[in-house]
PDB file of all heavy atoms in Angstrom:
ATOM      1  N   LEU Q 564     -71.363  11.064  73.699  1.00  0.00           N
ATOM      2  CA  LEU Q 564     -72.538  10.281  73.675  1.00  0.00           C
ATOM      3  C   LEU Q 564     -73.409  10.430  74.880  1.00  0.00           C
ATOM      4  O   LEU Q 564     -74.613  10.408  74.729  1.00  0.00           O
ATOM      5  CB  LEU Q 564     -72.046   8.832  73.521  1.00  0.00           C
ATOM      6  CG  LEU Q 564     -71.301   8.390  72.277  1.00  0.00           C
ATOM      7  CD1 LEU Q 564     -70.702   7.013  72.241  1.00  0.00           C
ATOM      8  CD2 LEU Q 564     -72.066   8.684  71.011  1.00  0.00           C
ATOM      9  N   GLU Q 565     -72.894  10.604  76.069  1.00  0.00           N
ATOM     10  CA  GLU Q 565     -73.647  10.745  77.208  1.00  0.00           C
ATOM     11  C   GLU Q 565     -74.356  11.986  77.227  1.00  0.00           C
ATOM     12  O   GLU Q 565     -75.609  12.138  77.522  1.00  0.00           O
ATOM     13  CB  GLU Q 565     -72.712  10.694  78.437  1.00  0.00           C
ATOM     14  CG  GLU Q 565     -72.210   9.320  78.823  1.00  0.00           C
ATOM     15  CD  GLU Q 565     -71.108   9.435  79.903  1.00  0.00           C
ATOM     16  OE1 GLU Q 565     -70.872  10.523  80.330  1.00  0.00           O
ATOM     17  OE2 GLU Q 565     -70.543   8.341  80.252  1.00  0.00           O
ATOM     18  N   MET Q 566     -73.832  13.157  76.558  1.00  0.00           N
ATOM     19  CA  MET Q 566     -74.449  14.383  76.520  1.00  0.00           C
ATOM     20  C   MET Q 566     -75.579  14.365  75.445  1.00  0.00           C
ATOM     21  O   MET Q 566     -76.690  15.012  75.642  1.00  0.00           O
ATOM     22  CB  MET Q 566     -73.426  15.482  76.125  1.00  0.00           C
ATOM     23  CG  MET Q 566     -72.430  15.888  77.184  1.00  0.00           C
ATOM     24  SD  MET Q 566     -71.144  17.006  76.676  1.00  0.00           S
ATOM     25  CE  MET Q 566     -72.229  18.535  76.446  1.00  0.00           C
ATOM     26  N   ASP Q 567     -75.368  13.542  74.485  1.00  0.00           N
ATOM     27  CA  ASP Q 567     -76.373  13.322  73.357  1.00  0.00           C
ATOM     28  C   ASP Q 567     -77.668  12.736  74.156  1.00  0.00           C
ATOM     29  O   ASP Q 567     -78.856  13.087  73.840  1.00  0.00           O
ATOM     30  CB  ASP Q 567     -75.946  12.511  72.283  1.00  0.00           C
ATOM     31  CG  ASP Q 567     -76.928  12.242  71.332  1.00  0.00           C
ATOM     32  OD1 ASP Q 567     -77.620  13.273  70.708  1.00  0.00           O
ATOM     33  OD2 ASP Q 567     -77.244  11.148  70.908  1.00  0.00           O
ATOM     34  N   GLN Q 568     -77.460  11.731  74.941  1.00  0.00           N
ATOM     35  CA  GLN Q 568     -78.578  11.128  75.627  1.00  0.00           C
ATOM     36  C   GLN Q 568     -79.452  12.059  76.531  1.00  0.00           C
ATOM     37  O   GLN Q 568     -80.500  11.951  76.688  1.00  0.00           O
ATOM     38  CB  GLN Q 568     -78.060   9.858  76.506  1.00  0.00           C
ATOM     39  CG  GLN Q 568     -77.478   8.774  75.697  1.00  0.00           C
ATOM     40  CD  GLN Q 568     -78.618   8.024  74.883  1.00  0.00           C
ATOM     41  OE1 GLN Q 568     -79.540   7.813  75.285  1.00  0.00           O
ATOM     42  NE2 GLN Q 568     -78.093   7.615  73.684  1.00  0.00           N
ATOM     43  N   LYS Q 569     -78.721  13.017  77.027  1.00  0.00           N
ATOM     44  CA  LYS Q 569     -79.374  14.163  77.961  1.00  0.00           C
ATOM     45  C   LYS Q 569     -79.798  15.266  77.156  1.00  0.00           C
ATOM     46  O   LYS Q 569     -80.232  16.235  77.766  1.00  0.00           O
ATOM     47  CB  LYS Q 569     -78.386  14.408  78.972  1.00  0.00           C
ATOM     48  CG  LYS Q 569     -77.928  13.307  79.923  1.00  0.00           C
ATOM     49  CD  LYS Q 569     -76.901  13.774  80.849  1.00  0.00           C
ATOM     50  CE  LYS Q 569     -76.336  12.673  81.694  1.00  0.00           C
ATOM     51  NZ  LYS Q 569     -75.140  13.122  82.661  1.00  0.00           N
ATOM     52  N   ASN Q 570     -79.665  15.237  75.860  1.00  0.00           N
ATOM     53  CA  ASN Q 570     -80.005  16.419  74.952  1.00  0.00           C
ATOM     54  C   ASN Q 570     -79.316  17.674  75.374  1.00  0.00           C
ATOM     55  O   ASN Q 570     -79.783  18.812  75.344  1.00  0.00           O
ATOM     56  CB  ASN Q 570     -81.538  16.688  75.022  1.00  0.00           C
ATOM     57  CG  ASN Q 570     -82.350  15.609  74.306  1.00  0.00           C
ATOM     58  OD1 ASN Q 570     -81.909  15.107  73.357  1.00  0.00           O
ATOM     59  ND2 ASN Q 570     -83.456  15.221  74.929  1.00  0.00           N
ATOM     60  N   ALA Q 571     -77.986  17.453  75.737  1.00  0.00           N
ATOM     61  CA  ALA Q 571     -77.174  18.487  76.237  1.00  0.00           C
ATOM     62  C   ALA Q 571     -76.183  19.060  75.202  1.00  0.00           C
ATOM     63  O   ALA Q 571     -75.367  19.982  75.494  1.00  0.00           O
ATOM     64  CB  ALA Q 571     -76.455  18.055  77.470  1.00  0.00           C
ATOM     65  N   LEU Q 572     -76.225  18.378  74.028  1.00  0.00           N
ATOM     66  CA  LEU Q 572     -75.383  18.905  72.978  1.00  0.00           C
ATOM     67  C   LEU Q 572     -75.837  20.016  72.176  1.00  0.00           C
ATOM     68  O   LEU Q 572     -77.088  20.153  71.974  1.00  0.00           O
ATOM     69  CB  LEU Q 572     -75.047  17.794  72.022  1.00  0.00           C
ATOM     70  CG  LEU Q 572     -74.204  16.539  72.411  1.00  0.00           C
ATOM     71  CD1 LEU Q 572     -74.193  15.505  71.349  1.00  0.00           C
ATOM     72  CD2 LEU Q 572     -72.791  16.959  72.825  1.00  0.00           C
ATOM     73  N   ILE Q 573     -75.042  20.974  71.660  1.00  0.00           N
ATOM     74  CA  ILE Q 573     -75.392  21.950  70.803  1.00  0.00           C
ATOM     75  C   ILE Q 573     -75.842  21.226  69.584  1.00  0.00           C
ATOM     76  O   ILE Q 573     -75.233  20.278  69.027  1.00  0.00           O
ATOM     77  CB  ILE Q 573     -74.227  22.986  70.570  1.00  0.00           C
ATOM     78  CG1 ILE Q 573     -73.684  23.537  71.808  1.00  0.00           C
ATOM     79  CG2 ILE Q 573     -74.806  24.066  69.540  1.00  0.00           C
ATOM     80  CD1 ILE Q 573     -72.484  24.263  71.616  1.00  0.00           C
ATOM     81  N   GLU Q 574     -76.959  21.752  68.959  1.00  0.00           N
ATOM     82  CA  GLU Q 574     -77.579  21.046  67.725  1.00  0.00           C
ATOM     83  C   GLU Q 574     -76.611  21.208  66.527  1.00  0.00           C
ATOM     84  O   GLU Q 574     -75.881  22.123  66.373  1.00  0.00           O
ATOM     85  CB  GLU Q 574     -78.852  21.788  67.361  1.00  0.00           C
ATOM     86  CG  GLU Q 574     -79.522  21.102  66.096  1.00  0.00           C
ATOM     87  CD  GLU Q 574     -80.909  21.915  65.780  1.00  0.00           C
ATOM     88  OE1 GLU Q 574     -81.257  22.798  66.517  1.00  0.00           O
ATOM     89  OE2 GLU Q 574     -81.383  21.551  64.732  1.00  0.00           O
ATOM     90  N   ASN Q 575     -76.550  20.117  65.810  1.00  0.00           N
ATOM     91  CA  ASN Q 575     -75.655  20.103  64.523  1.00  0.00           C
ATOM     92  C   ASN Q 575     -76.450  20.752  63.418  1.00  0.00           C
ATOM     93  O   ASN Q 575     -77.751  20.703  63.349  1.00  0.00           O
ATOM     94  CB  ASN Q 575     -75.396  18.632  64.107  1.00  0.00           C
ATOM     95  CG  ASN Q 575     -74.212  18.042  64.908  1.00  0.00           C
ATOM     96  OD1 ASN Q 575     -73.725  18.709  65.867  1.00  0.00           O
ATOM     97  ND2 ASN Q 575     -73.752  16.903  64.431  1.00  0.00           N
ATOM     98  N   GLU Q 576     -75.727  21.420  62.585  1.00  0.00           N
ATOM     99  CA  GLU Q 576     -76.273  22.124  61.472  1.00  0.00           C
ATOM    100  C   GLU Q 576     -76.665  21.101  60.346  1.00  0.00           C
ATOM    101  O   GLU Q 576     -75.978  20.083  60.176  1.00  0.00           O
ATOM    102  CB  GLU Q 576     -75.277  23.202  60.858  1.00  0.00           C
ATOM    103  CG  GLU Q 576     -75.689  23.907  59.641  1.00  0.00           C
ATOM    104  CD  GLU Q 576     -74.566  24.786  59.151  1.00  0.00           C
ATOM    105  OE1 GLU Q 576     -74.594  26.012  59.624  1.00  0.00           O
ATOM    106  OE2 GLU Q 576     -73.769  24.366  58.251  1.00  0.00           O
ATOM    107  N   ASN Q 577     -77.802  21.397  59.752  1.00  0.00           N
ATOM    108  CA  ASN Q 577     -78.170  20.537  58.551  1.00  0.00           C
ATOM    109  C   ASN Q 577     -77.121  20.810  57.408  1.00  0.00           C
ATOM    110  O   ASN Q 577     -77.164  21.945  56.971  1.00  0.00           O
ATOM    111  CB  ASN Q 577     -79.548  20.753  58.070  1.00  0.00           C
ATOM    112  CG  ASN Q 577     -80.106  19.775  56.993  1.00  0.00           C
ATOM    113  OD1 ASN Q 577     -79.284  19.223  56.379  1.00  0.00           O
ATOM    114  ND2 ASN Q 577     -81.437  19.796  56.896  1.00  0.00           N
TER     115      ASN Q 577
END
Side-chain angles (χ1 to χ4, degrees):
L564 296 174
E565 291 171 359
M566 291 177 68
D567 177 55
Q568 292 295 321
K569 299 175 183 178
N570 292 321
L572 288 175
I573 306 172
E574 183 184 353
N575 278 9
E576 179 180 272
N577 186 338

